[in-house]
Amino acid sequence: MKSTFEKMGGTYTLGADGIYYPNLVSTDEEPHYGKYGMLRRTYLKEHRPAMYSLYMLEDSLTAHLNKVDDEAQERMEALVQQMMDKKGITEELKARDQMAWVGAVNNIRNAAEEVVLAELIYR
């Protein structure tokens, strides 16, 4: 009679002590996520424990966090560029008045990050 683990394709190895140990190999991909992936992981752990557990059981948490981080980075770049174009923040302003340019770009990045956090991280 096969165990549920064996029915799912798992195998066991007989140890020197006479006990069978499951051969556990993670199929999860390598983590490359950054800030947004870590924020998503923390959010899932603290506010969506069932979803977090499901990702852990399916061995897909790292893939999910990598995907969310990539999407968040792309969305940030697009939003910042769109907002800069709309507000007329150019290299000319940077050459003319660096402090005004830095202030404007920081405000735009903060606004874009709020959108990204609401849309992708805390949902």
Side-chain angles (χ1 to χ4, degrees):
M1 185 165 150
K2 286 188 172 183
S3 69
T4 305
F5 181 68
E6 289 173 308
K7 289 177 186 175
M8 294 174 58
T11 59
Y12 293 95
T13 301
L14 181 61
D17 55 2
I19 298 175
Y20 283 96
Y21 293 97
N23 297 319
L24 301 175
V25 178
S26 176
T27 58
D28 211 0
E29 63 185 67
E30 288 295 314
H32 67 262
Y33 56 86
K35 173 184 178 180
Y36 299 109
M38 287 186 270
L39 287 171
R40 178 70 175 163
R41 183 185 63 212
T42 301
Y43 173 75
L44 289 174
K45 257 186 185 178
E46 294 176 3
H47 300 283
R48 300 280 190 264
M51 190 181 292
Y52 179 80
S53 295
L54 182 64
Y55 282 127
M56 291 292 285
L57 287 171
E58 292 176 344
D59 200 25
S60 62
L61 180 64
T62 303
H64 172 72
L65 297 176
N66 286 340
K67 180 181 166 215
V68 167
D69 190 75
D70 292 341
E71 288 176 9
Q73 292 289 348
E74 289 172 16
R75 185 81 170 119
M76 272 294 290
E77 290 173 14
L79 279 174
V80 167
Q81 191 59 49
Q82 289 172 0
M83 290 176 170
M84 285 178 67
D85 292 344
K86 188 172 184 176
K87 299 235 182 213
I89 310 296
T90 62
E91 291 297 316
E92 179 186 316
L93 175 63
K94 184 178 180 180
R96 194 170 11 105
D97 188 358
Q98 282 186 332
M99 291 307 290
W101 182 86
V102 168
V105 171
N106 283 341
N107 285 337
I108 287 172
R109 285 182 196 208
N110 290 335
E113 186 166 66
E114 284 183 31
V115 171
V116 168
L117 291 176
E119 287 180 354
L120 298 173
I121 308 302
Y122 304 132
R123 59 172 171 85

